[in-house]
Amino acid sequence: MLYTHKISTGRDDIALEIMDTASECETDVIEKHIKWGDGFVVIYSVTDRHSLQRAQKLKELLFNLKNPDFPVVLVANKCDLLSAREVTEDDGQELASQLDCMKIELSVAEGYKGVSETMDELLCQLKREHIKNLTTSSVGFEKNRSRLSNMKRAFKKRIARSHSDTF
Ligand SMILES: Nc1nc2c(ncn2[C@@H]2O[C@H](COP(=O)(O)OP(=O)(O)OP(=O)(O)O)[C@@H](O)[C@H]2O)c(=O)[nH]1
């Protein structure tokens, strides 16, 4: 399922496309979605140990398919269901450390504060990554420009030398 969402910050208008892949089981379909995405919210339920294992599998796929510092937030959902908890905070934290990302414990049943915090953190990482990519491409542009100037200078010298050889 694909959702679209627009955010206006006053300075920028940001259009988000959010894909819910929760029902996907086929690895090749999940891989296709991972290649499509710029940032990721990996969610597991604290009441379901299998969901943590699925999140760990997602982590492997992310590391295989993306650059090492892909934007990601780990979410532990259903924290209100205290007596049904199967995944400890430490288990979740271990996965967050492997992903080198922030982990947010929340309950979507209790309100949108945690969801909002999750999206703010992801957006912050996406912006940082975007700026980094712009800087890298402008450094590449500068490098190419200075390589061209060097070639131009060498070419001019070469012409100058040919002239003095002739006369
Ligand atoms: N108590 C509680 N129930 C939740 C929470 N999040 C989701 N649920 C319930 O869990 C069920 C599944 O929720 P969905 O939103 O359909 O989630 P899903 O991504 O399809 O996840 P699963 O069906 O669990 O694989 C629904 O009955 C929700 O009301 C939560 O934080 N707390």
Side-chain angles (χ1 to χ4, degrees):
M1 178 88 82
L2 185 70
Y3 302 88
T4 56
H5 183 66
K6 277 207 172 107
I7 303 171
S8 283
T9 62
R11 233 171 33 150
D12 316 297
D13 284 333
I14 302 165
L16 289 176
E17 288 181 318
I18 303 167
M19 189 175 287
D20 179 359
T21 61
S23 54
E24 298 292 356
C25 300
E26 303 285 330
T27 305
D28 54 338
V29 178
I30 295 173
E31 282 182 351
K32 203 174 84 192
H33 294 324
I34 289 177
K35 285 180 190 157
W36 172 86
D38 295 322
F40 304 90
V41 179
V42 177
I43 308 175
Y44 66 90
S45 163
V46 298
T47 65
D48 177 5
R49 194 131 194 110
H50 288 116
S51 70
L52 182 74
Q53 286 158 0
R54 283 196 296 274
Q56 275 156 339
K57 198 173 159 220
L58 270 179
K59 177 203 74 183
E60 305 294 336
L61 293 176
L62 284 165
F63 277 122
N64 286 345
L65 298 168
K66 304 304 275 188
N67 289 329
D69 23 329
F70 53 86
V72 59
V73 184
L74 181 64
V75 169
N77 188 34
K78 304 197 187 180
C79 290
D80 58 305
L81 300 174
L82 299 176
S83 56
R85 200 181 246 273
E86 287 183 3
V87 182
T88 65
E89 284 199 29
D90 285 350
D91 288 340
Q93 194 48 53
E94 196 181 321
L95 179 59
S97 307
Q98 292 164 2
L99 278 165
D100 192 19
C101 75
M102 182 189 267
K103 184 189 91 169
I104 296 177
E105 294 239 339
L106 56 79
S107 158
V108 297
E110 288 187 332
Y112 58 80
K113 189 171 159 277
V115 177
S116 206
E117 195 190 335
T118 303
M119 292 315 290
D120 284 349
E121 167 62 20
L122 188 70
L123 270 181
C124 198
Q125 292 184 34
L126 282 166
K127 279 188 192 168
R128 215 178 298 144
E129 201 53 24
H130 183 62
I131 291 169
K132 204 169 83 189
N133 289 341
L134 282 180
T135 317
T136 317
S137 56
S138 74
V139 168
F141 175 73
E142 281 306 321
K143 263 191 193 157
N144 279 343
R145 202 158 72 164
S146 82
R147 204 172 300 145
L148 265 178
S149 315
N150 286 345
M151 278 167 69
K152 217 160 109 183
R153 225 172 289 131
F155 190 60
K156 272 186 180 165
K157 264 192 198 159
R158 180 93 196 130
I159 291 175
R161 197 150 6 107
S162 318
H163 271 282
S164 57
D165 287 349
T166 322
F167 301 108

